[in-house]
Amino acid sequence: MIHTGDEVIDAYRKVSLWGVPKQSGKSTFAASVPGEIHINHYDWGTPTIPPGKDPKQITYKTYPVADPVLDVKSDKWKRAINIGEEILRDLMEWRAAFMENRPAKIDGQEVRLPQTFVLDGWVSLGQSILDWMLGLNNLKDPSESENAMVDVYGRRLTNYNTIFNTVIPLPCNVIIVTWETPVTRREKDYKGRPIQVETGKVTADYGGKLDMYGNGKVDASLYCYSEKTSAGTRFKVRTKSTELLLGIGVRGIYDLPDVVDVTIDPKKPHPLPWERIFGKRNP
């Protein structure tokens, strides 16, 4: 199908929000998009709903940590597959629902199709996928994979790519919420053995080699952080990369400042964080 340039303006946004695990404003930003939102919450707990956002416009599902089978005679444990299976099953149902333009059927309930689909807790999602893979292969630890001839991390990367390719094309805004991770380089120690050395730089944590090109799969990669000031804590979003913060950028918006203050005043919450970056337009 041939498209025209004006359709780009009305396109849904595919966004990555990343930063330190807590108190950086990532989840608040994700929940501030205008319209209906659904959140798959992989970090346990409940979503953060900002002032000025109608809670009735948000649906969510919380995924608990996988249940390990403990072995008191070992420092390793049998990996559970239940949560990984549930995550993948639900994502495939959401994809089918969007493709068929019908409500999603999750846990026996019908859930309306949202304008924004959020995966909050990408790192925890990855751990659940790793547990699922190890459990399926009857492994307790990735170190056992060499003997079992199973390329655990290679398969995990394949699954990450599959999840990306499942959710990113959905006809809605898609937001991935994740943490930052150190950028490393390969060197050798004094015995000539290969080691990974941190460079002092960070980027978004998508899992393994996906860290190198995950930001290229979205059209906006935003670094979220907070600063303590004399007037209180301010929440901010960086829209352009620096020497130490890599992979940041917003496609198609050319007049954004390097840093945008997205702190919400409960008395006058609007515009909410999403609108301060992307405006009020929401297909």
Side-chain angles (χ1 to χ4, degrees):
M1 178 182 294
I2 302 298
H3 299 273
T4 58
D6 59 337
E7 293 179 78
V8 176
I9 298 174
D10 293 322
Y12 288 109
R13 291 285 180 178
K14 316 300 177 177
V15 179
S16 171
L17 304 173
W18 56 282
V20 297
K22 297 294 183 182
Q23 299 300 315
S24 59
K26 304 183 301 296
S27 296
T28 300
F29 190 110
S32 72
V33 188
E36 305 283 341
I37 301 173
H38 178 79
I39 303 171
N40 275 359
H41 205 282
Y42 303 113
D43 275 339
W44 196 232
T46 56
T48 302
I49 302 177
K53 178 66 181 179
D54 183 357
K56 294 180 180 179
Q57 290 186 318
I58 296 177
T59 59
Y60 70 93
K61 177 175 177 177
T62 295
Y63 294 81
V65 177
D67 301 322
V69 180
L70 299 177
D71 182 355
V72 296
K73 298 181 180 180
S74 171
D75 63 349
K76 300 176 182 177
W77 59 89
K78 184 176 180 181
R79 303 299 180 112
I81 65 174
N82 57 323
I83 303 303
E85 284 184 347
E86 187 174 357
I87 287 171
L88 295 174
R89 183 175 60 247
D90 286 353
L91 288 175
M92 294 309 296
E93 168 57 18
W94 276 109
R95 181 181 185 278
F98 272 104
M99 296 303 101
E100 298 166 14
N101 194 28
R102 61 167 173 80
K105 297 177 182 178
I106 306 295
D107 298 337
Q109 296 177 272
E110 286 197 349
V111 187
R112 61 184 181 263
L113 293 181
Q115 291 172 285
T116 300
F117 190 75
V118 180
L119 287 76
D120 193 343
W122 184 265
V123 174
S124 296
L125 179 155
Q127 184 59 54
S128 293
I129 296 301
L130 180 62
D131 286 342
W132 168 72
M133 291 171 51
L134 290 171
L136 284 180
N137 290 283
N138 199 30
L139 301 174
K140 296 180 181 180
D141 190 84
S143 62
E144 299 176 2
S145 63
E146 293 181 0
N147 297 330
M149 300 299 290
V150 178
D151 181 8
V152 171
Y153 289 109
R155 290 188 181 183
R156 185 182 69 165
L157 178 62
T158 299
N159 280 299
Y160 273 140
N161 271 306
T162 300
I163 294 173
F164 252 105
N165 295 334
T166 296
V167 299
I168 292 297
L170 293 179
C172 64
N173 298 313
V174 177
I175 300 177
I176 293 172
V177 181
T178 189
W179 299 347
E180 64 182 48
T181 189
V183 175
T184 61
R185 65 173 179 267
R186 185 182 294 271
E187 295 184 358
K188 292 184 178 180
D189 65 12
Y190 70 99
K191 291 186 176 181
R193 296 172 298 193
I195 58 173
Q196 295 291 332
V197 178
E198 293 187 8
T199 63
K201 303 175 182 180
V202 297
T203 190
D205 189 345
Y206 300 114
K209 292 183 179 179
L210 197 57
D211 294 345
M212 294 187 292
Y213 54 87
N215 288 319
K217 289 178 172 284
V218 295
D219 58 39
S221 173
L222 302 172
Y223 181 75
C224 303
Y225 66 102
S226 62
E227 288 183 343
K228 291 189 179 299
T229 70
S230 58
T233 302
R234 307 298 297 181
F235 291 90
K236 299 183 178 182
V237 168
R238 176 163 285 281
T239 66
K240 297 179 178 65
S241 295
T242 69
E243 184 178 352
L244 299 180
L245 299 171
L246 307 184
I248 305 170
V250 180
R251 188 177 302 155
I253 302 180
Y254 305 103
D255 57 352
L256 281 173
D258 291 0
V259 175
V260 178
D261 191 318
V262 294
T263 309
I264 300 174
D265 180 350
K267 297 180 179 179
K268 296 180 179 179
H270 295 280
L272 290 173
W274 175 275
E275 295 177 18
R276 299 183 201 186
I277 302 294
F278 300 108
K280 294 184 177 181
R281 184 183 296 275
N282 191 21

